[in-house]
Amino acid sequence: MGKDVAGETQAKPKEEDAALIEFYSSFRDLFEFFCLNTTIHGTVRLVCSSRNRMKTAFWILLFFTTFGMLYWQFALLFNRYWSYPVTVSLAVHSEPKMFPAVTICNLNPYRIHAVAKNMVQLDALARETIYNIYGFNTPEKELEDNESLPLEEWPNWRETKANGSSFHLDRNVALVKMGDKVGFRLCNATGGACYNMLYASGVHAVQEWYRFHYMNIMSQVPSVFDVPHNEDDIGHLVYACQYDGEACRAKDSEYFHHPAYGSCYTFNKNGTDSFWEAYKPGVPFGLSLILKVEQKDHIPLLSTVAGVKVLIHNHNQPPFLEHEGFDIRPGVESTIGIRQDEVNRLGGVYGQCTENGENVNIELLYNSQYTMQACLHTCFQHQMIKKCGCAYYYYPLPSGEEYCNYNKHPAWGHCFYQLYKQLAYHKVICFHECPKPCKESWYILSAGYAKWPSTKSEDWIHRALQAQNSYNMSNNNRNDISMVNIYFEKLDYNSWDESPEFTLTLLMSSMGSQWSLWFGSSVLSVAELLEFLLDTLILTLIFLYRRLTAKTHKLTRPPKARSESLILENYRHMEEGTATDESNDKAAEAMTAMTADDSHTSACQKDGPPPYAKCNKHQLPEWPSGVVLNAFTNIVRT
């Protein structure tokens, strides 16, 4: 029996050793095994040079330096990857293209009969203002044009509540000289926080001051007109039109009236008619127009330019005549060559752009496809309504709102000019709300000009126009025509395409290059390092668990006291008979040993208990009557 207990006691260390071999017996063993067997270069030096502390310190310093450099390079790579840079590639394409949309305006806005009285009052105020500033009188006939268009002739005139008699000019908004500049002052609703609109040029000051009053007057009528049939006649502006050598058709143009630029026509607005396909570059295969350029202005202070406004733009997009386009002079042939460029943006994490305005929270006021300019105008109009209480006259009117009028909104001008200035300096939220289109195209123009018609050819040209187009030929209007040629310089177009500059594949490749540079290893070396870290973690947890269990056992066990445990191997009731002689002998020997222990109690107390249980003072327990102890052994419990 004693041999079995000793065998069990000796077997425990072997089992523990066998268990520790799997996770190593110490951190030192783990570290040495990793350094001697890993494929990471230089780590073996940490073990092989352990007898030379200087070399060991050098290699430790070198190892951690390269390790730090490696992860510094990793940080740079990840920072570059998460910045999502793009690279732009240029591709040249050559294929037949659809001719762009072309808008032309005569720069003569109409005088509406319903507000004609107010316009006369404004012209009188303008003459008075110019005299006060510059000291000369302006003839009445130069500013006032009695020709006005009756509002009743317009199909949608009943939609307006125009009442010129109820409108009064605000003479407090007066044009004055302020030092060496000219301008006018606008104040808020309480008459404070005044804002001066100053201009270095008196011409610009007079035009803007007149335009401000004009918007207040025209707020009584719609800004977009549905013209009557007799006014919707392209012959009032275009004497001749041909494209690719063929005469233009009546359905090729669409009319609209702009409050500042007058009667306008757009050719090839939708870009869906095969008639406007361009198969060849050059002037003969483009659009050629002979235009009537009227010198007589209906509102001369609003439009001071004699000519025609021309704008080349994409299909199904509104023409923003205030910001784009060029003017055609009378008596000049203008040749406009166009080239097209296209850009494809990535969007998403690589940049802010939108596909047809799907992810834009602003609903366009224009009946067209999404453009950034249309979105900005719409957003600005909403900001005007929110902050100024009314809508800007030159932009479309949202449903249920009204245009600004200083008779109803006295401080709207003060609010408008400050808000418009913020828009010009990109300080309005609209630039965050209106991203660029992910796919966008634009036209690059080049122009050439020449006198037309020439001195020797003007007679027959005028007579031909007189015979065919009822042209009124006189000495006063011999220079009121012009020609415009618009054509593709070449059908090749440039496509600028964005692509990710630093992809995930390139990131992994760069990380592998850096790892090979600093440690000369591979992906399997990374797996070895991860295994080393995992083994370190497991070994740490094992040691922590042992320490915690050891502390718990120490707190829960009783004070150290040697005790005996009697194990009854054989006992039997007296009625069942007596035990064997061998068992009786063992019991007698045990009783003798206990008697000897009692005799040595004093010695144990004096010298301290020996490492065996014989010095323990515990008494043999009393056995119940009728029980015979046949055999027992002493087991030492520690």
Side-chain angles (χ1 to χ4, degrees), residues 571-628:
Y571 61 90
R572 186 169 51 179
H573 201 271
M574 292 179 61
E575 284 80 7
E576 294 178 358
T578 59
T580 60
D581 293 339
E582 181 179 358
S583 299
N584 291 335
D585 293 339
K586 290 181 179 180
E589 290 176 1
M591 294 297 293
T592 305
M594 292 185 65
T595 306
D597 291 340
D598 292 338
S599 64
H600 288 79
T601 300
S602 59
C604 291
Q605 291 176 350
K606 180 178 179 180
D607 300 330
Y612 303 100
K614 65 181 181 176
C615 295
N616 201 313
K617 292 184 179 182
H618 287 273
Q619 300 294 329
L620 184 66
E622 294 182 6
W623 301 101
S625 59
V627 178
V628 177

Side-chain angles (χ1 to χ4, degrees), residues 88 341-345 437-442 494-498:
V88 180
D341 279 355
E342 184 179 281
V343 62
N344 295 299
R345 301 182 178 91
C438 292
K439 185 175 183 179
E440 186 179 15
S441 63
W442 62 87
N494 298 327
S495 175
W496 304 87
D497 303 317
E498 289 184 352

